[in-house]
Amino acid sequence: MIAGDLMALMPLLILAVGSIIVLLAGAVRPGGWLYPLAIAIIAAAVVWTIAVPATAVMPGISITPFSRFFSCFLDGTGIVAMLLAAGYNRRRGIIGEEYPATLLFALAGMGTACAATDLLMLFLGLESFTFAFYVLVAIERNSDRGGEAGLKYLLNGTLSAAILGMGIALVYAGSGTLKLAELAMPGAARPFGTLVLAGSCLILFGLAFKLSLVPAHLWTADVYQGATAPVTALLSTASKGASLGVVLLLMPLFSALPAGHHILWWLALLSMLCGNLAALVQTSIKRMLAWSSVAQMGYAAMGLVAAPAGGLRAAAFYVVLYAVAGLATFGAVAVLSDDGERDAIEGYRGMGYVNPLAGAAMAVGLFSLAGIPPAGGFMAKFAVFSATLREGEITLAMVGILTALVAVFFYLRVVVTLYMRPAEGPVTAVRPLLTTEVVALVIPTAVLIFLGIYPSPLLDLLMTLLPGG
Amino acid sequence: MENLNSYLIVSAILFSIGTIGVLTRKNAIVIFLSIELIQNAVNLTFVAFSRHLGNLDGQVFVFFVMTVAAAEAAVGLALMIAFYNNKESIDVDDVNLMKW
C-alpha cells in the first residue's frame, strides 16, 4: 500500500479509528461532549472525501467516484442522525459512549460495503453495519420494545447473513472467483451455470432483507417501531442507501442472469403493493413510515428493473431523496417526542402550530414521500417511472402509479392531522428546540425543496457515476 | 478431488438441519444455534470448493465468516440477556409486543 492509497482510504480510517477513540474517551470521561466529537469525526471524513478526490485500487476495496459519492451521502445522513440523537438521547436517559461509537462504526462499515470490489469485502461491510444496527436498535436496554425489536432484528438479520454467505459460497463454487469484475463478465470460456444462478438468488434474497423488499420485509415495521426515533431515522435511510449501493455494485451479475430481471420485477411489484396497502391501516406513525419504506424500496427496485434504460441512475436518485425525506419525517418524530415516544398518529393533532418547524419538516418530508411537487420526491418518482416506461415495463409502471395514488391518502392523512385538527386538550408549555435539532430539521427540508426545484446537479453527477445505466 | 460430493452432501445436510431448526424451534438461543449451523454449512462449502478449485480465496473467506459468527454470538447473547431481563423468558412466543 502506497501513500496515495492511504490518502484515498483515509475517510474510512477516520471513521473506524474515530469510533475507537470515542469508545476510549467515553471510558475516561463520559458525557454529552462525545456527540460533538463524533459529529466532528464524521464531518472530517466528509471533508476529506470531497477535498481529496483520490482514487485507489487495493485488494478487495477500491475508492472510486461512485464509492466517494455514497460515502458523502451516508456520512451526511449519519451527521443528521447524530444531531437528532444528541438531544433525544439526553431526554430519554440513554447515556454512554456506545451510541456515538457504534454509529461511527456503522458508517465505516457502510463506506466499506460501497467501495468493495470483491464479495468478501462486500459481505464484511454489509455485516459490520448490520451488527452496529443490532446494537443501536436495542440501545434503550430497559425498554420492552427496544429489547424486542433488537431480538427480532438479530434473528432475522443473522439468518439473512447466513443465506447471503451461502449465496456467495455457491457463486464462488460456480465461477471460481470472488472478484466482482470477473463475475460481471461471464467469459465464453466459463458460462455461468446453475450454481451461480442459485447463489445469485440467495445473495439477492440476503440483500432484499436489508432493503426490506417483500418477501423479506416482515421485520421492518416491528424494528422501526421498537427502536428509538433517531436510530430509526438512520436505519431507514443510511442502511437502505448503503444496501442499494451494494445492489448497484452487483447489478452486472444480476442482469447477466437469465432470471435476474424477473426476480427484480416481482420484488418491486410485491413491495409496492404490500407496502402501500399495509401502510393504509396503521395507527402508529413509525409503523406507517416503515410500511411506506417497504413500498418506497419497491419503487427503487423498479428502477433496477429498468436498468438498461437509465434505471440505475433513477434508482440511486430515488434512494437519495427517499433518505432525505426519511430524515425529515423521522427527525420530526424524534424532536416531537419528549420523555416518551410520540407514536400514535392521533398524537400529532395540531402539532403543526405547536411546533412549526418540526411540523413543516414532517409535512415536507411526507409530501416528498407522496411524490407531490415541489418536494424532491416528485422528481425521483418521475425519474423512476420514465425509466420504467422507456424500458417498456407498462404493467409495472401502471401498478406503481396506482399504488402511489393510494399512498397519497395515508401520507396526507398525517399532514391533515398536523395542521387541520385542533390539539387535544390544553397545549402544555412547548419545549424550545435545541440548536442541534433546528439544524437537523432544516438540512433535510432545505435539501428536499432544493432538489425538487433544481435536481439537475445531482442527476448529472449520477449520470457520470453510473454511465452504464 | 473425487469426494467433493461427499463434502457437499454434508454441507447440504447441515444447511437443512439449520433451516428446519430456525423454522420449528421456539427458544431464541436454539434458533441462534441453528443459524450458526447454516454458517458452518457455508464454511464447509467454501473449504471444499477452495480445495477443488485450487484457489485460496475460499479458505480466507471462511476465516472471516468465523469472525463474523463470533461477533454475532457476542452481540446476540448480549441482546438475549437484555430481553431476558425485561421478560424473564427467551421464548420467541413471548416476543409479542408489536404486531402488524
Side-chain angles (χ1 to χ4, degrees):
Chain A
M1 188 186 289
I2 55 164
D5 290 344
L6 206 59
M7 294 288 275
L9 206 55
M10 207 57 185
L12 289 178
L13 294 177
I14 291 175
L15 288 171
V17 175
S19 161
I20 298 167
I21 288 175
V22 169
L23 211 51
L24 293 177
V28 178
R29 195 175 146 229
W33 70 284
L34 293 167
Y35 287 86
L37 175 66
I39 291 168
I41 290 169
I42 307 177
V46 175
V47 169
W48 193 294
T49 315
I50 295 172
V52 185
T55 56
V57 181
M58 276 158 284
I61 206 167
S62 84
I63 307 294
T64 57
F66 175 84
S67 82
R68 289 175 48 233
F69 168 76
F70 267 91
S71 292
C72 284
F73 157 51
L74 298 170
D75 292 351
T77 61
I79 289 181
V80 174
M82 194 76 94
L83 285 169
L84 287 171
Y88 181 93
N89 285 356
R90 191 165 347 113
R91 288 202 297 283
R92 294 292 293 272
I94 302 168
I95 48 169
E97 64 280 8
E98 296 90 352
Y99 186 93
T102 317
L103 203 155
L104 288 178
F105 184 68
L107 291 177
M110 291 175 194
T112 313
C114 291
T117 56
D118 71 16
L119 290 170
L120 172 59
M121 290 312 282
L122 197 137
F123 179 75
L124 286 179
L126 278 174
E127 287 320 305
S128 22
F129 82 70
T130 314
F131 276 7
F133 278 116
Y134 298 150
V135 177
L136 287 175
V137 164
I139 194 90
E140 205 180 12
R141 264 181 315 180
N142 299 324
S143 116
D144 284 349
R145 291 195 161 179
E148 179 175 327
L151 194 59
K152 278 182 179 168
Y153 192 39
L154 174 88
L155 290 177
N156 287 300
T158 44
L159 182 62
S160 91
I163 290 175
L164 182 68
M166 199 65 195
I168 294 174
L170 293 183
V171 167
Y172 173 71
S175 64
T177 178
L178 287 172
K179 294 193 175 53
L180 292 178
E182 292 173 24
L183 284 171
M185 287 177 289
R190 195 167 44 202
F192 283 160
T194 325
L195 277 176
V196 177
L197 178 64
S200 308
C201 290
L202 290 181
I203 294 179
L204 199 54
F205 185 82
L207 290 170
F209 166 82
K210 306 244 188 278
L211 285 171
S212 59
L213 289 171
V214 177
H217 66 291
L218 282 169
W219 59 277
T220 317
D222 291 348
V223 173
Y224 280 24
Q225 192 186 13
T228 60
V231 173
T232 315
L234 193 73
L235 179 63
S236 71
T237 57
S239 127
K240 298 281 189 288
S243 310
L244 194 94
V246 168
V247 174
L248 290 176
L249 286 175
L250 284 169
M251 267 320 273
L253 174 63
F254 294 144
S255 45
L257 293 174
H261 181 265
H262 296 302
I263 297 173
L264 285 170
W265 195 92
W266 279 106
L267 285 176
L269 186 88
L270 291 175
S271 303
M272 290 187 297
L273 280 175
C274 278
N276 281 322
L277 293 180
L280 276 176
V281 296
Q282 301 299 328
T283 53
S284 142
I285 188 145
K286 282 161 107 187
R287 292 185 85 80
M288 190 276 274
L289 288 171
W291 283 107
S292 108
S293 93
V294 172
Q296 301 281 340
M297 285 302 114
Y299 295 115
M302 195 163 86
L304 300 176
V305 174
L312 297 186
R313 285 195 291 278
F317 186 64
Y318 198 93
V319 84
V320 171
L321 278 161
Y322 161 71
V324 180
L327 285 177
T329 45
F330 281 115
V333 173
V335 168
L336 290 173
S337 302
D338 295 327
D339 46 351
E341 198 90 354
R342 190 186 294 273
D343 197 19
I345 293 178
E346 280 300 302
Y348 285 83
R349 289 167 66 159
M351 276 296 147
Y353 301 106
V354 176
N355 196 330
L357 179 64
M362 184 176 253
V364 173
L366 291 168
F367 276 129
S368 175
L369 291 172
I372 296 172
F378 170 72
M379 297 312 290
K381 281 221 169 50
F382 180 77
V384 168
F385 283 125
S386 62
T388 314
L389 288 174
R390 272 202 303 279
E391 176 68 9
E393 296 289 350
I394 308 293
T395 319
L396 198 57
M398 286 302 291
V399 173
I401 290 167
L402 288 177
T403 53
L405 285 176
V406 172
V408 171
F409 168 74
F410 61 78
Y411 290 124
L412 291 193
R413 195 179 58 174
V414 180
V415 178
V416 167
T417 314
L418 276 176
Y419 285 102
M420 296 184 189
R421 297 177 54 192
E424 252 173 22
V427 177
T428 48
V430 184
R431 182 176 60 82
L433 289 183
L434 305 168
T435 322
T436 53
E437 290 171 339
V438 173
V439 176
L441 290 175
V442 165
I443 294 175
T445 315
V447 170
L448 275 182
I449 293 175
F450 175 77
L451 285 177
I453 294 167
Y454 186 51
S456 43
L458 182 57
L459 282 171
D460 291 344
L461 177 63
L462 287 169
M463 185 87 87
T464 56
L465 292 178
L466 294 160
Chain B
M1 197 165 63
E2 63 278 10
N3 52 1
L4 174 66
N5 275 340
S6 44
Y7 288 103
L8 293 183
I9 289 168
V10 175
S11 158
I13 292 172
L14 279 176
F15 189 89
S16 312
I17 296 175
T19 314
I20 293 169
V22 170
L23 293 176
T24 57
R25 300 309 290 261
K26 296 284 180 204
N27 186 313
I29 290 183
V30 179
I31 295 179
F32 205 62
L33 276 173
S34 308
I35 295 170
E36 302 278 317
L37 270 185
I38 301 182
Q39 279 174 338
N40 283 322
V42 173
N43 286 351
L44 194 58
T45 313
F46 263 119
V47 173
F49 271 102
S50 182
R51 199 57 201 283
H52 176 68
L53 298 164
N55 173 331
L56 278 180
D57 286 354
Q59 308 263 9
V60 175
F61 202 106
V62 169
F63 279 106
F64 284 99
V65 173
M66 288 195 289
T67 319
V68 165
E72 233 165 48
V75 174
L77 293 177
L79 278 175
M80 282 177 202
I81 290 171
F83 185 77
Y84 185 81
N85 283 338
N86 292 332
K87 280 266 185 171
E88 300 280 310
S89 156
I90 47 163
D91 198 297
V92 285
D93 284 341
D94 291 326
V95 186
N96 56 8
L97 273 183
M98 293 174 287
K99 284 179 189 161
W100 302 110

